[in-house]
Amino acid sequence: MANIKDVAERAGVSVATVSRVLNGHGPVAETRERVLAAVRELGYRPNNVARALRTARTGTLGLVISDLTNPFFTELADAVEDAARGLGYSLVIGNAGERPEQQDDYIRTLLDRRIDGLLVSSAGTGSAMIGEVVASGTPLVLLDRTVPGIDAPCVRADGRTALTELAAHLAALGRRRPAIIVAPAGTPTGGERLDLFRTALAAHGIALPDERVGATPDLQHTGGRRVMSGFLDLPEPPDAVLATDNLMALGAMDELRARGLRVPDDMALVVYDDVPWFAHTDPPLTAIAQPTRELGRAAVRTLLERIEGRRAESVLLPAHLVIRRSCGEPPARTPARGTAPGKRTEEEERGSA
């Protein structure tokens, strides 16, 4: 069985350098990759028990995710796991299922396992246990969602520019009666997206009255369908709907189909949180895409800064608007025969991936 000296010889570095890499300390990226490649080639497995006794660390990070059935959070968890593994850490994941009490159970379990640090994408508006994590001194980073009253860095996406672009896009297409399906009342993410969208629309003289704001009891398909049903029963239904979560958007689409209505002929539909198959629906869905993989990597880097005792700041990464066909956008033009094709649109690039 290979030992740490074998890894050092294979990578052409010192034993101390191998140890630093495996403990999450950072030599330059090239050296770190060489060490990790040697670890994989030799099948080396560090003795984590002995290492924990020497360093008071376990080489394990915890992640409590709000809902693993949601494609956005599934990809986010995968990105975190990939980043953690690349830095020599194991990751233990707990799925809160959008239930604060289940979230608390997982946090207690992870703390009992003496994890080196914890990432939390909070269910709802948070829970008492998150405050206990801070009080315990365990390094904590919030992911995607802020938690009121918690002093910890948060890594999340900024939708301001994307929502501003969306408002301009709807205005240009003549959509003057927009509506929005938002997360349960009181959640910071839902409230922020509502405020940003309402402000962006106002710049184009478009109102977003309360009757065209629908809050779901959860972030599920059923909630999106129920809110869309209410919109369609209004005396003057909306002509465009922004669903601020991908599962809610699917429910909204189902309600439209059940009533014999078509996107975009009868209703424009936009989704906040792009997923790969939205480029292949009929019509392809215009969406706001969050930088999911970058968020996962940034969250792990920020948590390791806290573990090392360094000051860690919150990270805000930009989301962007992906224009497809669900708002009545004109189809992309095909270059004339014999002419050189122009630059492909982002939609075309994503659709052919």
Side-chain angles (χ1 to χ4, degrees), residues 33-278:
E33 289 303 317
R34 197 161 69 245
V35 170
L36 293 175
V39 168
R40 290 190 294 269
E41 291 167 6
L42 295 173
Y44 172 66
R45 296 190 179 278
N47 185 335
N48 287 330
V49 173
R51 184 169 68 180
L53 290 173
R54 291 194 307 271
T55 67
R57 295 183 186 172
T58 61
T60 304
L61 305 179
L63 169 65
V64 178
I65 207 80
S66 52
D67 184 9
L68 276 173
T69 67
N70 186 312
F72 167 73
F73 291 114
T74 303
E75 184 178 3
L76 189 60
D78 181 69
V80 169
E81 195 275 335
D82 187 60
R85 188 179 66 250
L87 292 171
Y89 280 85
S90 298
L91 184 72
V92 180
I93 301 176
N95 176 29
E98 294 292 359
R99 293 189 289 273
E101 66 280 3
Q102 186 165 311
Q103 173 176 280
D104 285 355
D105 288 342
Y106 275 115
I107 290 176
R108 290 189 190 94
T109 299
L110 290 169
L111 292 179
D112 288 344
R113 293 189 62 163
R114 296 179 61 244
I115 54 172
D116 295 337
L118 179 64
L119 293 165
V120 176
S121 176
S122 179
T125 56
S127 63
M129 274 303 300
I130 297 179
E132 291 186 26
V133 174
V134 175
S136 74
T138 300
L140 170 69
V141 171
L142 302 174
L143 181 56
D144 182 61
R145 298 174 178 177
T146 58
V147 176
I150 296 299
D151 183 19
C154 182
V155 176
R156 62 191 185 96
D158 180 8
R160 185 181 305 272
T161 298
L163 288 167
T164 299
E165 292 173 350
L166 174 60
H169 182 62
L170 293 176
L173 293 171
R175 305 283 180 172
R176 307 295 298 183
R177 299 190 313 279
I180 185 171
I181 305 174
V182 296
T187 56
T189 301
E192 179 183 77
R193 292 174 185 174
L194 169 59
D195 291 343
L196 290 173
F197 190 45
R198 182 172 264 155
T199 300
L201 289 168
H204 298 275
I206 300 174
L208 183 60
D210 289 344
E211 64 264 25
R212 295 205 300 267
V213 176
T216 64
D218 51 43
L219 298 174
Q220 298 299 318
H221 166 279
T222 51
R225 182 164 187 172
R226 184 158 53 248
V227 172
M228 178 61 86
S229 177
F231 287 157
L232 296 175
D233 288 339
L234 290 172
E236 190 176 32
D239 60 6
V241 171
L242 167 62
T244 58
D245 178 85
N246 50 67
L247 294 180
M248 296 190 303
L250 296 178
M253 291 176 68
D254 280 350
E255 183 62 21
L256 289 169
R257 291 194 185 102
R259 298 202 185 200
L261 302 175
R262 290 183 57 83
V263 175
D265 300 342
D266 302 300
M267 176 83 73
L269 183 64
V270 183
V271 189
Y272 201 116
D273 283 343
D274 197 18
V275 292
W277 60 82
F278 284 166

